[in-house]
Structures are given as structure tokens and as C-alpha cells.
Amino acid sequence: MMEGPYKYTRDGSGAVSRVIRVGTRKSQLARIQTDSVADKLKKLNPNISLEIVGMSTMGDKILDTALSKIGEKSLFTKELENALERNEVDLVVHSLKDLPTTLPAGFTIGAVLKRENPHDAAVLHPKHEGKTLETLPDNSVIGTSSLRRAAQLKKRFPHLVFKDIRGNLNTRLKKLDEKDDFAAIVLAAAGLRRMGWDNRISQILGPEDCMYAVGQGALAVEVRSRDADILEMVSVLHDPETVLRCIAERAFLRHLEGGCSVPVAVHTELKNSQLYLTGAVFSLDGSDSLKETMQTSVAADGKSSDAVDERVQRVGVTAGKISGEAQDAAERLGVDLAKLLLSKGAKEILTVARQLNDAR
């Protein structure tokens, strides 16, 4: 039954509970990720009912074009946000790396969950079992639709050839296994692990081989910013370390004005209250690059114990229960690192990369 914008359900004993509708993409991985968030919410709020609503997005429908060529930042998120706006769902679960660094008005990221392994992984064709990217034969073809992965790996493994591959995880693995087109494909380790396919990971690519995408490996819950009760409910899912790392990464990308269509990569670490951010930009073939590391303290000095303003968003993230001071420091770190790279010529590298990619 609907009551205003909310939906309620009545159980056998006549007790009424609010139905929280959770929007998700229809792919198997998206469903697994959404179910994991729904399970956590259900454990924390036994009195609510959750309903999962599956949707197809533009990114799921356009399968014959490289992602970077479509030129739409919100490829996998737009339809979900439309449903959120129309009150058809109350929250949406995304991979954080699919969410643009500036969200449309009226939306916010109410939770960033503990990050899974953020690195990329190489999955080799069964006939190359036991090999690595390094030991694959010359001119072996590697499938990836990511300019960021291709740029770094071309430079690191000049003996390999890189070609676009599209489709969800299941489709890509099928293309790898059932044809002889690819010797290997490169995917996010997090997705493979969530699907339970750890055994397919031939090697995890460390930062010296391939730095990861902004927000990679973290799940985000997007909500309507005015829904104080939903914001409050999902806020307990925030993982403070992941939030600070991802705020720094997103601030870096936002200040660089990078999106899906440019090769930008990051690496973050938080230890002893020091947040370290490494950021890099690359030309399409990886021959030209800039990479720098900066750090900042994210220790809250305790002086600002007054309540954090729940309405403050930092690069799209609302995290009222995490020190505002620490979040500000993380955001500044991202902006400062972007400024440093821009002062060394990052803009030129990215502009050329964008133009070349548009011309492909």
C-alpha cells in the first residue's frame, strides 16, 4: 500500500512496516552487490521490508561501442537516478567508480562501504595457464575497454597488443574462453571476487603495473538528499577509511576534470592517520605520463566535536558521522595533487588523449 511517497506492507500479524525499494542494474554482478547491501541493511533494521527493483541502463544496452567513445559520464547511473527522482525507488546501489564526481542536484552518496581489493586483475585464456602478462608470447591480444588500463599496460608490457572488449563480466569471460581472439582480459579484481570467481584471477596487478580507477572496489549507496530518514539508515554502512580514501580520489579526478574518456589512475593508503594519495595521468599509449604522491594528516584533533552538518556533501558524499575535519583534509589532498599535476602539464596530456580518443 502507498502512503504519500512511501510504500508499506502488512505482515501476517497485522504489523505494518515500511518497504524500502532498492534500485539496481540487472547484471548478475550488480544484483550480487545490491543483495549484499540489502542484507546488511536488513540485519541492522529488522523491522523494514526491502524490495529489489532491477533496471537496464544505457551502458547495459550499448554493447557494440567502447565506453570511452559514448562520452556519457552517467552511463550506468542515469536510469537509476531517474527512478530515484520519480520516487520509484528509495536508494540505489552502484559501483562507486561508475558515479560521476559531481552528482545531479537532489542526490547524494549516503554510504560508501568497506572497499574490496581495488586492484585490476589479469584473467588468462586457459591455454596460457601458469603465465603472466610478462611471460605471454609477443603480440598476444589483451582485452580491455578501459583507456586507463590500456595506457598503463602498453607502456609496461610493450610486447602485448590491446583491443576493446565490452559486455558484463559473464560475457567477457565467455568471449575469452570460447574464442581465440584474446590471450587475456583485464578486469577489476573486486568484481571477480564478488562473483566468486577468485580462481580465475591469474595475477593481481600492483601499482607498479597498473594503478586503479577512482573509487574502484567500493560500493556506494545513492539516495535523495532530502530523505533524512533514509540517509540516517544507510549512513551506518559507511566505512571511514574507504570514505576518506575515496573522497581524496574523487576530489583529485573532479579537479582534473577527468571522466571515463581519459586515462587517470590513483592509489591511496591510510596508515597511522596519514592519508597517502598517488595520482597519475597518461597519454593513450602510455608514453607520456605524470605521476605524483602527496600526503596529509586525517587525525581529528577532537576540537570540532560539534555535530557535523548532515547536509554537507564532499564530492557527492554525505558522511555525517565521520570527522568533518578529516573529510576536508582528504578533499584538499585530492585538489592539491590535481593542482600539482596540472602545473606540470596534465591538462595538455588529457586534452590530447581526449581528442585522439574522439577521433578513433
Side-chain angles (χ1 to χ4, degrees), residues 94-122:
H94 302 280
S95 291
L96 181 59
K97 76 174 165 117
D98 291 338
L99 276 171
T101 49
T102 304
L103 297 184
F107 301 113
T108 189
I109 297 164
V112 179
L113 284 79
K114 189 171 172 55
R115 197 173 208 167
E116 180 42 281
N117 182 329
H119 295 280
D120 289 319

Side-chain angles (χ1 to χ4, degrees), residues 40-342:
K40 288 188 173 75
L41 283 175
K42 191 79 186 119
K43 278 199 181 76
L44 293 161
N45 307 275
N47 55 334
I48 60 167
S49 298
L50 288 164
E51 185 184 305
I52 311 275
V53 183
M55 285 168 249
S56 286
T57 66
M58 189 163 129
D60 296 310
K61 290 170 188 155
I62 306 178
L63 289 178
D64 53 357
T65 313
L67 286 181
S68 60
K69 294 288 286 179
I70 303 169
E72 165 67 61
K73 271 212 177 94
S74 47
L75 264 187
F76 293 110
T77 57
K78 193 103 200 99
E79 280 82 353
L80 299 169
E81 284 173 344
N82 289 344
L84 204 50
E85 192 163 21
R86 293 192 299 260
N87 268 316
E88 290 164 15
V89 296
D90 302 299
L91 51 106
V92 177
V93 178
H94 302 280
S95 291
L96 181 59
K97 76 174 165 117
D98 291 338
L99 276 171
T101 49
T102 304
L103 297 184
F107 301 113
T108 189
I109 297 164
V112 179
L113 284 79
K114 189 171 172 55
R115 197 173 208 167
E116 180 42 281
N117 182 329
H119 295 280
D120 289 319
V123 178
L124 270 56
H125 190 287
K127 72 176 179 200
H128 292 302
E129 199 180 337
K131 291 198 176 85
T132 61
L133 293 182
E134 193 118 36
T135 57
L136 279 174
D138 283 3
N139 297 317
S140 293
V141 177
I142 313 300
T144 172
S145 58
S146 154
L147 299 181
R148 171 189 60 80
R149 289 172 183 146
Q152 295 180 81
L153 296 171
K154 276 175 189 168
K155 172 134 202 226
R156 183 88 171 85
F157 305 107
H159 67 295
L160 302 174
V161 175
F162 293 85
K163 293 222 166 101
D164 271 332
I165 185 169
R166 285 288 322 276
N168 60 36
L169 274 186
N170 311 52
T171 315
R172 290 187 199 196
L173 282 171
K174 217 174 151 130
K175 283 181 183 170
L176 172 71
D177 292 344
E178 293 177 6
K179 294 194 177 123
D180 251 350
D181 299 357
F182 299 101
I185 54 178
V186 181
L187 303 162
L192 289 161
R193 293 177 68 157
R194 290 191 184 113
M195 293 285 274
W197 292 338
D198 306 53
N199 62 329
R200 289 305 309 267
I201 296 177
S202 311
Q203 80 186 103
I204 296 272
L205 301 171
E208 61 294 335
D209 289 331
C210 192
M211 284 163 45
Y212 42 81
V214 166
Q216 184 159 319
L219 296 181
V221 181
E222 189 179 17
V223 300
R224 292 178 286 267
S225 16
R226 61 169 191 274
D227 273 359
D229 51 343
I230 297 271
L231 248 176
E232 178 63 32
M233 181 180 81
V234 301
S235 68
V236 293
L237 300 175
H238 268 309
D239 174 63
E241 176 178 331
T242 306
V243 170
L244 294 175
R245 287 171 62 188
C246 290
I247 283 178
E249 293 172 18
R250 286 172 64 81
F252 170 70
L253 181 64
R254 171 144 87 185
H255 199 80
L256 276 180
E257 294 183 2
C260 239
S261 53
V262 288
V264 174
V266 292
H267 181 80
T268 45
E269 247 179 304
L270 181 57
K271 45 182 194 229
N272 306 325
S273 298
Q274 285 289 313
L275 178 60
Y276 300 83
L277 169 64
T278 302
V281 299
F282 304 90
S283 58
L284 288 191
D285 65 358
S287 60
D288 208 359
S289 65
L290 284 171
K291 178 169 136 185
E292 296 289 344
T293 302
M294 291 177 85
Q295 69 187 83
T296 188
S297 165
V298 286
D301 63 9
K303 286 203 271 282
S304 55
S305 54
D306 41 315
V308 180
D309 185 348
E310 293 277 347
R311 292 181 303 279
V312 172
Q313 280 195 39
R314 291 172 185 83
V315 275
V317 179
T318 301
K321 295 180 170 59
I322 296 169
S323 153
E325 203 183 342
Q327 292 183 65
D328 287 340
E331 186 172 17
R332 271 196 309 272
L333 177 65
V335 172
D336 288 347
L337 186 64
K339 284 180 175 162
L340 178 61
L341 287 186
L342 288 168

